[in-house]
Amino acid sequence: MKARSWMGGLALVTLCTASAAVAAVDASRMAGRLNYEEDRTKVGVDVRLGVGGLMGDAGDRTKAGPLVGVAAGAQPWRNLGIEAGVEGQRMAIDDGRIGTGEAMYRYNLGLLAKAGPLIAQEKLRPYVGAGAGVSYLNATSGAESLYRNDFVTEVPIAAGLDYRFSDTVFAGARASYRVLFGEEFANAANALTTGDSNGNLLNITATLGGRF
């Protein structure tokens, strides 16, 4: 049932959100051990909304879909920051062999290091980033004859822009390209063609957050 997909996903997101919060606290403690002053080590949380989808063979079977995420981060150095985040995403399955309304849900936990300077009176920060992550792909029950649940590893590469409205509030936009490894969720669906589920992921998000 589709409810099972949502319940399993919510459980995973809850666990991952806790992990992200712990990562932010650890980042703050690490900065303290390195004798960084409190006003230099900003720790914060942001929420993000966006859209994106799979590419390659995997993208032939799915459509771009919406995503929501939460990230906790710290800025232990002036031009270098770190973050841990979770994302949930729904990508509709485009396959005439199964019923309408079926989808692949993606639940992600990731880490990212970001580098970029503060410019424009220290309000604007363009940045690039790279990191690592893992996603759980969960097919709705009506698609399980051809699509399977799957864990995949990710190497995200990101570019973005943050704007600081004040010392505590910021907003931004980001594009991330995620290189995926170990995708097997659509191997059965592709058995008569490519036989695999190769493809990477491109997402674009807007963020709003605060630091303390």
Side-chain angles (χ1 to χ4, degrees), residues 150-155 178-184 199-200:
D150 192 17
F151 280 97
V152 299
T153 54
E154 303 180 358
V155 177
R178 298 166 183 263
V179 182
L180 307 183
F181 300 93
E183 317 94 292
E184 299 179 352
N200 297 318

Side-chain angles (χ1 to χ4, degrees), residues 12 17 24 28 35-36 43 45 74 78 80 94 99 125 132 148-149 151 165 167-169 171 185 187 191 200 207:
L12 185 61
T17 302
S28 179
N35 296 319
Y36 284 104
V43 178
V45 176
R78 178 177 175 82
L80 181 63
D94 185 13
R125 187 190 296 277
R148 55 170 285 185
N149 300 336
F151 280 97
F165 294 99
D167 194 44
T168 57
V169 179
F185 69 92
N187 283 6
N200 297 318
T207 62

Side-chain angles (χ1 to χ4, degrees), residues 89-159:
Q89 185 170 13
R90 181 187 188 276
M91 294 173 285
I93 294 176
D94 185 13
D95 192 331
R97 296 170 294 179
I98 62 174
T100 60
E102 304 302 331
M104 183 68 66
Y105 288 89
R106 169 181 167 266
Y107 306 102
N108 169 261
L109 172 64
L111 300 171
L112 192 75
K114 305 184 299 182
L118 274 174
I119 59 176
Q121 298 179 340
E122 297 196 343
K123 291 184 176 295
L124 197 64
R125 187 190 296 277
Y127 64 85
V128 295
V134 61
S135 282
Y136 177 61
L137 300 179
N138 185 199
T140 51
S141 58
E144 289 180 347
S145 60
L146 291 175
Y147 296 87
R148 55 170 285 185
N149 300 336
D150 192 17
F151 280 97
V152 299
T153 54
E154 303 180 358
V155 177
I157 302 170

